[in-house]
């Protein structure tokens, strides 16, 4: 096998409205060795939450640092989300893909639109809630945010749902384990055709 030329890894984008449970689904399959996944650590200007580790969950940066990185063309995509900036550093994504790893981004929909424009063969997966009523329940359940922010997130989610047709795959997160199993099958299928 020494002479085998290693194929560049896939670029997988997991997206969907806020509150749909992208992170929960991702946790279910990220450590599956067969999938050879590497998580792309985003850059963000939002405050570090308790339990989050700089460089593992996010690269926490100042607004100035973020703007500089964007200006220098260091980001594959960048978006504003509820008052904070988020972006994907290109260099890490490329390094990992060149090592044959399948790089996975967990990002919101504006960012996914930008990735799709730059990386035509990106494997885009949209996670949907079983219903909008269930999404509302999840958003209300995990946040202690004021009503107007909840309403803002719900309105944003409804607009984001309209972009469903832009994605290669749509997976319903009714049950996170089941959604993760479906995504495993999708990734494995694409790994085969990537050889
Ligand atoms: P949170 O602040 O809850 O960690 O993330 C808020 C939203 O930003 C989530 O929908 C998450 O998927 C998204 N997000 C995280 N990193 C990035 C990124 O690098 N780019 C974009 N466009 N969205 C991101």
């Amino acid at each position: 096998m020494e002479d085998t030329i290693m194929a560049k890894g896939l670029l997988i984008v997991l997206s969907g409205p806020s509150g749909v449970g992208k992170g929960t689904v991702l946790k279910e399959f990220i450590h599956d060795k067969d999938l050879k996944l590497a998580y792309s650590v985003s850059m963000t200007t939002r405050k570090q939450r308790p339990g989050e580790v700089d460089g593992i969950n996010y690269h926490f940066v100042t607004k100035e640092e973020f703007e500089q990185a964007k200006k220098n063309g260091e980001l594959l995509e960048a978006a504003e989300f509820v008052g904070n900036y988020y972006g994907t550093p290109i260099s890490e994504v490329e390094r990992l893909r060149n090592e044959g790893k399948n790089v996975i981004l967990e990002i919101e929909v504006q960012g996914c639109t930008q990735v799709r424009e730059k990386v035509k063969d990106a494997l885009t997966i949209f996670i949907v809630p079983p219903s909008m009523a269930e999404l509302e329940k999840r958003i209300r359940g995990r946040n202690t945010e004021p009503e107007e922010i909840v309403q803002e997130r719900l309105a944003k989610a409804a607009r984001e749902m309209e972009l469903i047709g832009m994605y290669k795959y749509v997976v319903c997160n009714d049950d996170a384990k089941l959604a993760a199993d479906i995504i495993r099958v999708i990734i494995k299928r694409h790994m085969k055709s990537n050889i």
Side-chain angles (χ1 to χ4, degrees):
M1 293 297 280
E2 273 172 19
D3 294 336
T4 310
I5 296 169
M6 192 169 34
K8 189 170 174 176
L10 302 168
L11 180 64
I12 306 161
V13 187
L14 200 63
S15 195
S18 148
V20 78
K22 300 187 285 287
T24 312
V25 173
L26 181 61
K27 276 198 201 104
E28 293 289 338
F29 68 88
I30 185 90
H31 298 300
D32 184 332
K33 296 238 170 355
D34 295 344
L35 303 178
K36 292 193 199 144
L37 294 172
Y39 179 69
S40 159
V41 180
S42 296
M43 200 180 261
T44 186
T45 61
R46 92 143 155 73
K47 276 213 189 95
Q48 198 167 342
R49 292 178 187 145
E52 284 183 335
V53 181
D54 189 21
I56 302 272
N57 301 94
Y58 281 106
H59 298 291
F60 294 97
V61 295
T62 62
K63 202 168 167 229
E64 290 69 32
E65 286 168 330
F66 190 94
E67 276 163 0
Q68 195 58 49
K70 198 175 163 188
K71 210 163 123 196
N72 294 346
E74 293 166 18
L75 301 178
L76 176 61
E77 58 76 38
E80 193 189 339
F81 185 86
V82 200
N84 293 302
Y85 296 121
Y86 295 83
T88 303
I90 294 179
S91 57
E92 193 63 1
V93 168
E94 282 309 297
R95 185 182 66 77
L96 292 164
R97 287 186 73 195
N98 286 331
E99 282 176 10
K101 304 241 172 67
N102 298 314
V103 176
I104 189 152
L105 319 183
E106 189 247 280
I107 62 177
E108 54 68 67
V109 298
Q110 303 166 58
C112 185
T113 303
Q114 295 168 40
V115 172
R116 195 185 295 109
E117 279 162 13
K118 291 190 188 160
V119 186
K120 299 289 176 220
D121 60 352
L123 175 51
T124 56
I125 304 172
F126 194 74
I127 311 268
V128 291
S131 67
M132 290 311 274
E134 175 60 25
L135 184 68
E136 179 166 355
K137 212 166 113 194
R138 289 180 193 175
I139 289 177
R140 287 189 188 282
R142 76 169 191 184
N143 290 314
T144 47
E145 289 167 331
E147 182 60 23
E148 71 251 35
I149 300 283
V150 171
Q151 290 301 333
E152 197 185 308
R153 276 179 186 264
L154 283 169
K156 191 170 161 66
R159 289 195 300 276
E160 290 172 343
M161 289 291 285
E162 287 170 15
L163 298 174
I164 202 166
M166 311 282 288
Y167 288 76
K168 279 207 174 97
Y169 295 96
V170 176
V171 175
C172 177
N173 179 21
D174 195 356
D175 175 277
K177 281 194 168 41
L178 178 58
D181 283 346
I182 294 167
I183 293 172
R184 274 194 186 95
V185 172
I186 294 170
I187 296 174
K188 281 189 184 157
R189 172 65 65 88
H190 281 263
M191 283 168 72
K192 271 192 199 148
S193 55
N194 198 35
I195 292 168

